[in-house]
Amino acid sequence: MARKTIGIVLNGVTGRMGYRQHLVRSLLAIREQGGLPLVNGDRLWPELVLVGRSETKLREIADRHGLTDWTTDLTAALARPDVEIYFDAQVTAQREKALRLAIEAGKAIYTEKPTAEDLAGAVDLARLADAAGIKHGVVQDKLFLPGLRKLDRLVKGGFFGQILSIRGEFGYWVFEGDWQAAQRPSWNYRAADGGGITVDMFPHWHYVLEQIFGRVTSVNAHLSTHIDRRWDEAGEAYDATADDAAYGIFEIDRPGQGKVVAQINSSWAVRVYRDELVEFQVDGTEGSAVAGLRNCRIQHRSTTPKPVWNPDLPATEDFRSQWQVVPDNEEFDNGFKAQWELFLRHVVEDAPYTWDLWAGARGVQLAELGIQSAREGRRVEIPELES
Ligand SMILES: NC(=O)c1ccc[n+]([C@@H]2O[C@H](COP(=O)([O-])OP(=O)(O)OC[C@H]3O[C@@H](n4cnc5c(N)ncnc54)[C@H](O)[C@@H]3O)[C@@H](O)[C@H]2O)c1
């Protein structure tokens, strides 16, 4: 068993996602398990080059984790022959130009979503990456969550019969930042800095709907900025100019079943009365399911109770207890790590990988057309992208 190293530039590693999910929970976790086992028996060892704007922060993170390679010079990092992959978890507004540099340098690309701030940029990146003959992938972490894996299993196993509708509820209260610190970065609430819940969440909903149910063919969205004044990391008040809630209705072409409607609410101005921060309910002729991040519950038509509408009487049934828990039946690793492992195998062993910059561009397209739909107050059809 030999150790094969692979050089990876990690940009944006001082941020929430870059640090916690990608560095610590994915790549350092792969190193802790002795590297990624390959088909030929070798183990793949990620050699990490941390890139960012602040020397102090990079040095501090490197020291904390016993890493030695870090730089504030992205171009120099990309010029290194021992680097094969460029990964980007910077703020969205900085992403496109960094990805372009990495493609020019001939590196494989793995990136957080959204891949660019607009569709033209996202499509251009996918075209450039294809033309350069490099491998590319986009983070689509929700697909690898236990709850959604179980939901996908139910769909593939034919549990639902004909799927009728999907309803999703995502969100939680993000503090304004005055009397309690906000738990998300302030750029999320400024349109000029690439913020907004639509550009943040619609790319997620796109791949969840497309990969589990079918192609998304139309969008009708209503966007709001419910909280228009917030306080930033330095305690300074600012105008929140980006949408903090998006109420979307999507149509999906489900092969062999026709159109399915999905209705998904996304909000940073909602208080949670749910079991998980995101939940999807799927209703079908044969049964229904409610899937969250971790759990999934089902109700088959044969066990469906018959409630009768009578507002004069208190509810006599405990509706939640009438659902059955879907068992794990397998071990679920961290979703980000699971997807990193697939991407590394794609780069090193040419293993199949479907979540590429084109999939990323379709997510950006849904966000862009969702915003257009809200602005024009109408349903917008989603054309297929030409690659
Ligand atoms: N996959 C997911 O579930 C998920 C969840 C949250 C965020 N994201 C995406 O990850 C990316 C980072 O989000 P985050 O929440 O970690 O943000 P964050 O603000 O915590 O981190 C942003 C990172 O970008 C760097 N950066 C580079 N140029 C910058 C600039 N000009 N201004 C500010 N920061 C700059 C920061 O130093 C930091 O390392 C975003 O594109 C976001 O859409 C994905």
Side-chain angles (χ1 to χ4, degrees), residues 11-18 22 52-53 57 89-95 112-114 139 141-142 184-185 187-188 199-200 204 207 336:
N11 196 4
V13 84
T14 59
R16 278 184 335 141
M17 300 312 293
H22 295 286
R53 297 170 301 162
K57 286 185 187 166
Q90 296 186 95
V91 286
T92 306
Q94 298 298 319
R95 179 155 304 127
E112 263 294 352
K113 46 48 64 182
V139 175
D141 52 290
K142 307 288 177 274
R184 292 185 64 88
W187 64 266
N188 283 189
V199 291
D200 193 51
H204 286 298
Y207 65 71
F336 289 89

Side-chain angles (χ1 to χ4, degrees), residues 249-317:
I249 297 175
F250 311 92
E251 273 181 305
I252 296 158
D253 237 343
R254 180 141 176 78
Q257 294 196 340
K259 294 279 186 194
V260 175
V261 61
Q263 183 194 334
I264 306 181
N265 296 327
S266 314
S267 178
W268 289 320
V270 65
R271 297 185 174 87
V272 180
Y273 190 70
R274 267 173 265 134
D275 293 329
E276 304 203 53
L277 294 191
V278 65
E279 281 182 352
F280 295 94
Q281 172 158 346
V282 180
D283 288 295
T285 51
E286 296 294 311
S288 299
V290 177
L293 302 172
R294 307 199 68 82
N295 298 312
C296 185
R297 291 182 173 77
I298 51 171
Q299 187 169 94
H300 190 253
R301 70 192 289 255
S302 58
T303 61
T304 303
K306 195 188 279 181
V308 176
W309 178 257
N310 186 349
D312 296 329
L313 295 176
T316 51
E317 294 178 80

